[in-house]
Amino acid sequence: MSDPAALGQFLQARRAERTPAAAGLPAWGRRRTPGLRREELAALAGVSIDYLTRLEQGRHAQPSPDVLSALASALGLTDAARAHLFLLAGRPDPGPVVLARDDVPGPVRRLVERADPFPAWVLNRRRDLLVWNEGATALLGDLAAMDAEQRNQLRLVFTTPAARALWADWPLVAQDTVAQLRAVTGPAGADPEVAALVADLSAASPEFAELWARHDVAPACSPLRAAHHPEAGELRFDLGLFDAAGGDLQVVVAEPHDDATQSRWTAFMRGRLEAGRLHAL
């Protein structure tokens, strides 16, 4: 149950403790108190001064979770203080925004390298491909030659004709990929880069827009993938997904599902290796 009066008092107290320097603002002009001015907090949280005034005066009940999250961030609240803010507002706390990381620890990189000749790669929460091995290049294409923006699982699946041709079960791949994005990124729009990705894909792909509107959530994908590889032929892989770096990263390893795939893929990768050696000579 919300307590608008206590919520207002809490916001005023935390604003009085938050210095401009701590909030990343220049401390221009003379101040009667060391804390943030009301207009400064409103600007940092992306709300109007009138709205913040009504909140602090206890004249507005149950602000939205997005507003509460923005206020918690602007005020630099600890986890405990953030939880108390949501409690006073009578709202469940969706948790702080977790932005996608772009660095991959050495042990995770080495795990991907050791998976060769089987394809392996690392995804962040935004589903960017950060690290991959030679097997992944052979399966997914020359990832190193792509622009960093295009090197994203969602963009590859929905905007790259080669990916649509590769996966024999493309509709299932598309469905899984969208559901996984929802599972690992939390509320839509929480991460501005994820929001931009969703907006781009919704405009570029009607299939993506339709799947995104379904709000399916799945932390893992269907384990079996069937592929029509242009050189290696018909392949079936078992996908293993492993969380790393506290869940900020996900390692994907594709292993042959059957003897036929094992034989075709091993021969194909051996041929690539020999061709590379001959080219080097």
Side-chain angles (χ1 to χ4, degrees):
M1 189 176 196
S2 64
D3 187 341
L7 173 64
Q9 294 166 6
F10 181 73
L11 288 173
Q12 291 182 64
R14 297 289 78 75
R15 177 166 64 82
E17 291 182 350
R18 184 71 161 164
T19 65
L25 297 175
W28 290 331
R30 299 176 64 88
R31 290 176 178 266
R32 290 179 294 177
T33 59
L36 290 177
R37 298 187 176 103
R38 185 174 285 162
E39 59 268 25
E40 291 172 333
L41 176 58
L44 289 170
V47 299
S48 70
I49 299 175
D50 178 66
Y51 183 89
L52 180 59
T53 300
R54 286 186 285 120
L55 276 178
E56 290 192 347
Q57 292 177 350
R59 295 188 290 116
H60 184 78
Q62 287 198 312
S64 72
D66 286 345
V67 167
L68 293 170
S69 291
L71 287 168
S73 177
L75 291 168
L77 298 186
T78 64
D79 289 346
R82 175 192 167 95
H84 185 65
L85 174 68
F86 276 80
L87 179 65
L88 293 176
R91 296 284 193 184
D93 186 357
V97 174
V98 180
L99 301 180
R101 64 184 291 172
D102 296 319
D103 61 299
V104 180
V108 178
R109 289 177 177 271
R110 290 189 288 274
L111 176 64
V112 169
E113 293 169 359
R114 287 197 296 268
D116 262 329
F118 304 138
W121 57 91
V122 177
L123 301 167
N124 63 11
R125 291 179 182 272
R126 198 168 50 245
R127 317 314 280 166
D128 297 325
L129 282 83
L130 303 180
V131 172
W132 57 92
N133 63 8
E134 182 60 28
T137 297
L139 179 65
L140 302 176
D142 191 354
L143 297 168
M146 298 179 186
D147 293 338
E149 182 180 77
Q150 184 61 26
R151 207 159 48 232
N152 172 276
Q153 187 181 40
L154 278 297
R155 293 189 188 278
L156 290 175
V157 169
F158 287 96
T159 67
T160 307
R164 190 181 291 260
L166 172 66
W167 299 115
D169 51 354
W170 185 88
L172 179 59
V173 172
Q175 176 182 314
D176 283 350
T177 303
V178 174
Q180 283 181 284
L181 179 66
R182 279 205 180 275
V184 298
T185 56
D191 181 340
E193 293 187 338
V194 172
L197 173 66
V198 169
D200 287 350
L201 290 171
S202 296
S205 170
E207 293 104 329
F208 174 85
E210 180 181 349
L211 289 169
W212 186 253
R214 285 166 48 175
H215 289 266
D216 292 339
V217 179
C221 65
S222 303
L224 181 61
R225 284 284 183 263
H228 298 305
H229 195 276
E231 297 177 69
E234 302 301 311
L235 305 167
R236 294 201 298 170
F237 290 102
D238 291 318
L239 291 191
L241 279 65
F242 311 96
D243 287 340
D248 289 339
L249 302 175
Q250 191 173 66
V251 181
V252 183
V253 180
E255 295 185 287
H257 175 74
D258 48 44
D259 292 342
T261 297
Q262 172 88 31
S263 177
R264 292 190 188 105
W265 189 254
T266 300
F268 170 62
M269 291 299 293
R270 185 182 300 116
R272 282 175 60 92
L273 178 61
E274 292 175 352
R277 286 175 176 170
L278 288 174
H279 181 73
L281 293 174

